[in-house]
C-alpha cells in the first residue's frame, strides 16, 4: 500500500508537513484572517451609528438614540392643522361681516341703552370719524357697534357725574336755589341779551352764583335767598338814558319807596 506522505525520493514526510506542490494550510488560514481584518477595517459598526436630526424637525420631537418621536410630532401637527383651520374660518366670518365702505357701518340705536329723551345725532362729526376709522382698520359691524356703545356709555357716565355735581352745588344755595339761579339768569339776559346768556354756563357752582349776585347788587339789583327782591333797574323809566349818578339816585329812590 502506498503511503501518501512519501516524497518523490521515496522518503516518508512527517504527518502535517505539506509536500512539494501542496499549499501550507496554516499559512492559508493566516492569510484569510488578515484579509478579513483588512476588509472590515473601513466598515462601521451598525450598533454604534446614531440617527441624525434633520434641520426641519424641531429638537423637541427628536430623540438622540431613537430618532423622530412620531407620536408627539403627529399630535403637534394635528393641533397645528386644527388651529389653522379655525383661523381660516374666523377670517372668512370677518370678511362677511366687514362692510365694503365706511357708510356700511350702521348703529343699532336700540342696543345703546340711551336715557329717555336722548337721541343719537347721526350727523355728529365724531360718529363719521368713527366710521372712517372702523373701515380703515377693517372692523366688523359688531366691533363698530361695540366701539360706539363704549363711547355712548362713557358720555352718559360723564353727564351723570356732572349732574350729580350740579345737584350738590345747588344744595349749597339752600331751599331757594332755583329762584336764586333764575333771578341771576333773568338779570344777566335782561341786561346783556345774548352776551348775558353766554355767561350762564359759568354758574356751575354755588360760589359762581353768589359771585354773580354780588356783582348784580353792586350794579343796582338787590338779592336775597329768595331770589331778586326788587324791581330791575331797567324797569325805571328813562333808565337807559340816565348817567351813572342819575341811575344810582333813581335806584336808591326806588329802594326807599319799597
Amino acid at each position: 500500500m502506498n503511503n501518501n506522505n512519501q516524497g518523490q525520493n521515496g522518503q516518508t514526510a512527517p504527518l502535517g508537513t505539506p509536500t512539494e506542490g501542496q499549499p501550507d494550510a496554516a499559512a492559508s488560514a493566516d492569510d484569510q484572517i488578515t484579509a478579513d481584518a483588512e476588509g472590515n477595517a473601513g466598515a462601521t459598526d451598525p450598533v454604534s451609528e446614531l440617527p441624525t436630526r434633520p434641520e426641519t424637525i424641531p429638537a423637541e420631537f427628536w430623540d438622540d438614540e431613537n430618532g423622530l418621536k412620531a407620536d408627539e410630532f403627529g399630535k403637534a401637527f394635528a393641533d397645528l392643522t386644527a388651529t389653522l383651520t379655525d383661523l381660516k374660518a374666523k377670517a372668512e366670518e370677518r370678511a362677511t361681516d366687514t362692510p365694503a365702505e365706511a357708510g356700511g357701518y350702521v348703529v343699532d340705536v336700540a342696543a345703546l341703552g340711551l336715557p329717555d329723551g336722548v337721541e343719537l345725532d347721526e350727523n355728529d362729526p365724531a360718529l363719521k370719524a368713527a366710521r372712517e376709522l372702523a373701515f380703515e382698520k377693517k372692523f366688523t359691524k359688531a366691533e363698530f357697534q361695540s366701539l360706539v356703545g363704549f363711547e355712548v356709555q362713557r358720555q352718559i357716565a360723564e353727564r351723570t357725574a356732572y349732574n350729580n355735581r350740579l345737584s350738590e352745588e345747588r344744595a349749597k344755595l339752600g331751599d331757594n336755589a332755583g329762584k336764586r339761579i333764575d333771578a341771576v339768569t333773568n338779570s344777566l339776559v335782561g341786561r346783556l341779551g345774548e352776551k348775558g346768556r353766554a355767561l350762564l354756563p359759568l354758574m356751575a357752582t354755588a360760589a359762581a352764583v353768589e359771585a354773580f349776585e354780588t356783582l348784580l347788587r353792586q350794579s343796582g339789583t338787590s338779592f336775597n335767598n329768595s331770589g331778586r327782591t326788587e324791581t330791575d333797574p331797567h324797569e325805571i323809566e328813562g333808565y337807559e338814558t340816565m348817567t351813572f349818578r342819575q341811575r344810582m339816585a333813581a335806584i336808591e329812590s326806588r329802594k326807599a319807596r319799597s
Side-chain angles (χ1 to χ4, degrees):
M1 183 172 68
N2 295 329
N3 191 326
N4 290 332
N5 287 325
Q6 269 189 335
Q8 293 180 351
N9 297 324
Q11 297 178 351
T12 301
L15 291 176
T17 302
T19 59
E20 184 179 354
Q22 291 182 336
D24 186 338
S28 296
D30 291 341
D31 291 342
Q32 184 62 43
I33 293 173
T34 302
D36 291 343
E38 292 176 351
N40 293 331
T44 302
D45 184 357
V47 176
S48 63
E49 183 178 2
L50 297 176
T52 302
R53 178 175 65 85
E55 294 182 358
T56 54
I57 303 297
E60 61 184 301
F61 301 118
W62 189 261
D63 183 274
D64 290 338
E65 294 184 358
N66 301 314
L68 179 66
K69 298 177 181 179
D71 291 341
E72 287 107 346
F73 184 78
K75 183 179 183 303
F77 183 80
D79 292 343
L80 177 61
T81 301
T83 299
L84 293 176
T85 301
D86 183 58
L87 290 175
K88 180 180 178 182
K90 289 181 178 179
E92 293 174 348
E93 182 180 355
R94 286 186 64 86
T96 59
D97 194 36
T98 302
E101 58 183 9
Y105 290 101
V106 179
V107 179
D108 182 0
V109 178
L112 294 178
L114 296 176
D116 292 340
V118 178
E119 297 180 355
L120 180 69
D121 182 6
E122 286 287 348
N123 297 319
D124 188 341
L127 185 57
K128 179 182 178 182
R131 285 191 170 99
E132 293 174 350
L133 175 65
F135 182 69
E136 177 185 347
K137 300 300 182 181
K138 300 302 179 185
F139 284 8
T140 64
K141 295 176 182 178
E143 289 170 341
F144 174 73
Q145 178 72 26
S146 297
L147 175 66
V148 175
F150 175 83
E151 175 60 18
V152 167
Q153 293 303 316
R154 185 195 68 78
Q155 291 188 22
I156 291 175
E158 185 179 75
R159 174 57 60 179
T160 300
Y162 176 76
N163 289 338
N164 290 338
R165 289 196 299 272
L166 284 182
S167 296
E168 293 173 359
E169 292 298 322
R170 287 174 65 94
K172 295 177 183 178
L173 294 173
D175 295 337
N176 294 318
K179 293 181 179 181
R180 294 176 66 180
I181 293 172
D182 289 343
V184 172
T185 299
N186 294 335
S187 290
L188 289 175
V189 175
R191 288 167 178 265
L192 304 174
E194 290 303 315
K195 292 182 179 179
R197 195 177 301 279
L199 296 174
L200 300 183
L202 298 178
M203 292 194 297
T205 65
V209 174
E210 292 169 348
F212 277 116
E213 287 177 336
T214 300
L215 289 174
L216 290 169
R217 284 195 192 97
Q218 291 177 352
S219 67
T221 303
S222 179
F223 289 85
N224 59 28
N225 287 343
S226 295
R228 190 171 59 175
T229 59
E230 296 188 5
T231 303
D232 192 314
H234 288 78
E235 297 176 2
I236 299 175
E237 185 178 355
Y239 185 85
E240 296 299 333
T241 61
M242 293 179 180
T243 64
F244 178 76
R245 288 187 178 182
Q246 289 173 332
R247 289 180 178 181
M248 293 298 100
I251 291 172
E252 291 301 324
S253 175
R254 180 172 288 266
K255 286 181 181 180
R257 294 196 303 268
S258 59

